[in-house]
Amino acid sequence: MKKSELSVIVFMLLFCAFFFYETVQLPVLAQRYPLFVIGLLAFLTLLKFFNMCLAYMKDKKIIDDFSTVWKSFLPKQFFTVFLGFLGFFGLMYFLGFYIAALVFLLFALIFFKIPKKYIVLTLVVMLVIVYAVFTWFLNVPLPEGMLIENFF
Amino acid sequence: MESSYALMAAGFVNALSPLNLLIMLISVTIGIIIGCMPGLSAAMGVALLLPLTFGMEPSTGLIMLGGIYCGAIFGGSISAILIHTPGTPASAATAIDGYAMTLKGKAGKALGTACIASFFGGLLSCISLYFFAPMLAQLAMKFGSPEYFWLSLFGLTIIAGVTTDSLLFGLMSGAFGLVLSTIGMDPMQGVERFMFGQDALYSGVNVTCSLIGLFSMSQVFILAEKAIVKRADAAKFDDSILLKLSELKRITPTVIRSWIIGNLIGILPGAGASIACFIGYNEAKRFSKHPEEFGNGSIEGIAGSEAANNAVTGGSLIPTLTLGIPGESVTAVLMGGLIIHGLQPGPELFTKYAPMTYTFFGGFVIIQFFMLALGLLGAKIFAKIAKLSDAILIPCIFVLCVVGSFAINNSFTDVVLMFIFGIIGYLMRKLNLNTAAVVLALILGPIGEKGLRRSLALSNGDISILFSTPICIGLIVLSLLSVFSPIMMKKLKKS
């Protein structure tokens, strides 16, 4: 029995429980199909758990495989980039897409220690592509940002 | 029949419009670039660029997605040959003999072989696309609500069963997607289901957002968690990329054999290019007059693998377009593209929307010629692009994911939804669950739900309607087979 698989089982059962709770709040006729699919997921999850238990009875071992699953995981790098993503969303909301993209790309490329000439090249290429395709070709009104909209 | 030929001819003419040709050039180029970058997949590329098709005619949009698909499958061979790292899993077998030839200073010959075999594999696969797709669509015309319910279950069991190591995990992923597909307005009762006060979820989880999240954003997370490794330099080569007549003659039987293998594998939902390349390679070795060359740089080995994986492309479109059962993740994304343009896979594509479908088919043929030309002329340039660092790709793909998901409805909610699906996809990939099954469930779930509930409404709740026709029984048998075949195969292998 692997710990990573056990975590999936726990997550799926919690997910089923949550959706089951939400489903019983619905009118009876609208409950049937969601209950069918939630039941299907719960059945498959329990079947998997049963299989895992059978394997455990044989080996009497719980394998802690999280170290294998997260072997290549670099927390500092990952969470810095992740925070960068969240920062991008915040900037996009307040200052608009283009400023957010410029700041985020600059931040990420500097963080990854990309040489200056490639930073400039990437910024130019990316912003030109986005402008040409989305603003010019598809006419997508990309967010201008709350602050920019209010002040200009 | 005559009208079919007229439609084919008209489709070709439409596909040859300057705009379509330009789109083919751009999409095949993008596809090859995506394919030759290890770490990026064809599904990721198609999902990421799906929003670009919104402003296009459906046929042009599909041609674009088809171009990325074919280009990416071929593009994987460039890095497989020059840096011994397959750009996509579909080129894993190509790396064996391709890199061996590079080490012998014959990288040009290896690339030329890959290019020509890919071209013929892809081109020949169009034949079956033209002739088998309408036939299967005729069968789909007989489908009613009960059949659509079973069809959606069959599609799910097949992708869930084949594409993950654990069958139950695959099926659980599909069921997880089915639960997510119930989010939104109840189609029969008109009641809000699991919308949590979000009006954006009124018509359900946006498939494009989920596609971009599950395939592209999750890949960004995967790249961001690992140490950035400098890619190996692509081998420089000066030998000719063109094959001699004797070499062409030598690979011809292999290409034809691999075309048949790849096409059949493509038509069978669930299997894909990554399986086809190995079967094509093994069969090439088995029938070769020089099996000793395999592993040491055999052009037949490269041709066997490349013709097979590209033959999958046309074959896999057949069940996707006619029955709505995508055989693998790329065609699941392509089907998402079709639905976004308001088109449902099935017989209507060959009746009401036949001109659009045949334009796409015509485009799919011409795409192969673009692939050949770009492959032969641009291999050296693509090899240089393959060196692009993940450190540059991570922020760039993220920005494209954001702008792509925003462009769907000009809504920030879609961006948030994409990001959530990115996290879900990342965790699923880490824990060996199947993201393609989730996407398929999101697409097939509503079709299956409508099929089930309409059937029950028609029969006043009598479930025997679900077992009332031979097609229903056939689909149930196929679903059971697809669930149990991996178990049976395992047992057979053991014995």
Side-chain angles (χ1 to χ4, degrees), chain A residues 15 23 26 30 33 48 51 69-70 72-74 77 85 89 92 104 112 122 126 133-134 138 140-143, chain B residues 52 55 166 168 172 176 186 192 194 220-221 224-227 391 396 398 403 406 410 412 415 426 430 449:
Chain A
F15 181 80
T23 304
L26 298 172
Y33 183 75
K48 177 72 189 172
N51 273 353
V69 173
W70 301 100
S72 57
F73 188 78
L74 300 174
Q77 178 180 302
F85 294 156
F89 293 141
M92 186 164 120
F104 169 75
F112 283 121
T122 308
M126 274 306 291
V133 175
F134 290 94
L138 290 174
V140 176
L142 291 172
Chain B
L52 297 191
S166 161
L168 273 172
M172 278 163 64
F176 175 72
D186 182 309
E192 283 186 10
F194 322 124
V220 172
F221 287 129
E225 70 161 30
K226 289 187 280 195
C396 292
F398 171 71
V403 74
F406 182 85
N410 301 335
F412 196 73
V415 179
Y426 167 65
K430 293 295 287 179
E449 180 181 0

